[in-house]
Structures are given as structure tokens and as C-alpha cells.
Amino acid sequence: MNSSSAFDAQDVLAGCGWDEGWAAEFAPYAAQGLVPGRVVRVDRGLCDVMTADGIVRADTAFVTPHDPLRVICTGDWAAVDPDGAGDPRYARTYLPRRTSFVRSTSSKRSDGQILAANVDHAIVAVSLAVELDLGRIERFLALAWESGAQPLVVLTKADLVPDPVTLAHLVQDVEAAAPGVQVLTVSSLTGEGMDVFGTVVAGGTSVLLGISGAGKSTLANALLGADVMEVQATRDVDGKGRHTTTTRNLLLLPGGGVLIDTPGLRGVGLYDAETGVGQVFSEIEDYAEQCRFHDCAHQAEPGCAVRDAVDRGELAQRRLDSYRKLQRENQWIVAKTDARLRAEIRREWRLRGAEGRANHDAKRGGGRS
């Protein structure tokens, strides 16, 4: 390979996110004659890998462990057989992930499902064509923070909210549910906000998340400057669209950066996301530090700073309810893999239920003559 082609090869990898850190991690595999590439798509035991020589088809048989979180996925950096090693080649392993976006499966088991790896920005797409579901946004953000990526909320179809005052109120509602997260309004139809959005995604790897009909594929096409992703009409009755994206695809953007488009997610279950939940509800955890009891449940305990904040109007009751819901769900998911923890949680719930009933009875009794 001459110096010009070597430069071109490195340029291809750099466009996929390759850097000196990845090169250092890959050095042992390079010594074995393997070549690096980024996983573009995974489908039934095979994957498409972008290498310096273009996209190759690789078999994932060597990286299919029993742990579903360790299977190869879109966004991984893989070590694959060199050219001439057969068709398809084999992906022998993948490099340790810097970040990983994981949700729980929809089954009754405690399995997690990895959606994307080595992501810098987790973009939560939310359609303004339907009423905002702030609880769902908080759920997505908890998973995004837990992944290690920087979340970003993109409110799509802004052209459907022509009144600037109404749009400003909607943005404020989302910002209140997303502390520390940038909120953008965009319209793929008019181009509103797309320049700012394009600048954000140009720096690193981004994953597009959201329910079906949120406008993810339309956003992807706008960034790509071409109708690469199929788009179907949204139903007027509920604002939902069909699942136009059926696999997770890694796309190189002409303006720089890498985008991973995902299918619409019907279920967004938490998976060991305690840190992410705490980040989404950081103001509640700040108040909780002022509670009289360190294990305060923020219900009827004396000296509860969280309840006091609600009573003063500083904290919305909806936020507290959402916080409790996600905390309980996350505790239960974690407990599925730990029998002792599961027993402790059940015991704690019984005790708190008994305390709540006792407090209720005491209040009723205190009002009797």
C-alpha cells in the first residue's frame, strides 16, 4: 500500500470515529494480522463492518457469548479477518466499549438488551405533533445518562406549532423534565433548527432514540441530504407511524460525525440505571440530602425536605411521582438477579406500607373526640 492509499484508509477509519485511543487498544490484534472496522449493522449472526477497504460482511460466531450484553452490536469496533480470509470473514472480537446504551428486554426475565455502543450523544427525538409525555422523556433520559453519553432532546415537527408562545411553553416543560440537557426544536420540513442540530451531531457518534412516529428517519434523511431512510406517513389519530426503521444502522454524515438510527422503541425498560435516574431527577436528590432521615422515602416521614419542596411549590408533584416510579422499577429489575436484595425490597415495601397505614389511622384517630 503506497503512502497515498494508506492515508485514504486512515481517513476512512477516522470518519467512523477512529482515534489514537482506539488504535492503541487495537495494537495487539493488528499484530495478529487482523484489521479494524466499525460495525454498521447486525443481522442474524452476521454484521456489516466498515473497514479501511470499505464495508465487509462478517460472521459473529466467535463473539456470541451467553451474556446478551456482550454480543457484538452496532457501533462496536471489531477485529476482523484480513482480505482473502474467506467470504464471509469472521469478526474475532470487539474492543472494550467506551459507552453502551442498554435497556431491559420486554420479557419477564432480567436480561438487558444493548442497542448501540461507543456513542457520544444520545438524542431523544420527541414529536410535537402529539401531546408531550414528560414521563417517557424522563425514562429515555435516565437510560441515556446511564449509558455514559451526553443526552440531547430534539423536539421534531416544530412547524406544527406555529405560535411561538405555545412553542416556548412546550420547550420550558421539557427543560424542567430534563435538567442539564440541551433542548432543541427542529423542523425537517422548514429547516428550522437543523443547522444547530447538525453542528451537535458533527462532533462524534450520535444515536437517535424515540418511539415510532417521532421523526427519527426524517431527521436522519435531513442530516444525510438524501432520502436514505424510508419514511412513512404518521397516523392522524395518535401521531404514530409504522416502524420504518427495522434495524440499527450506522450512517456517516456528510457534514462530519456518525449517526446510529434505531427502530421506534415500544418499550423503554430501565436496566440497572440508578445513576441515570439520579441524574434526571438531580433536584430531587439535592433536596433529599436535607431530609432528616437518610433513608427517607419522601412520603409521610417527618423532616422530609422533598415533601416540603412540593408543599412550597418548588417541586412539581408530577416530578416526584415519576421519580418514585422509575426508582421502584429500577430496584425491581436489579433485584431480579439478586434473590437477597429482592427479599429485602419486599420487606421494606411491607414495612413502609404498614407505616403508611399506621400514620393514616393515627391521623383519623386524632380527629375523633
Side-chain angles (χ1 to χ4, degrees), residues 264-303:
L265 302 175
R266 290 188 178 91
V268 196
L270 301 185
Y271 185 80
D272 196 5
E274 180 180 0
T275 300
V277 172
Q279 189 75 38
V280 174
F281 299 94
S282 56
E283 82 278 27
I284 296 180
E285 301 222 327
D286 287 343
Y287 283 122
E289 292 180 358
Q290 305 170 32
C291 291
R292 181 182 302 177
F293 303 108
H294 75 277
D295 59 346
C296 183
H298 319 309
Q299 294 183 4
E301 297 87 347

Side-chain angles (χ1 to χ4, degrees), residues 28-47:
Y29 304 109
Q32 300 172 26
L34 300 177
V35 296
R38 193 153 196 201
V39 178
V40 173
R41 184 173 179 268
V42 179
D43 182 29
R44 299 180 182 179
L46 297 173
C47 63

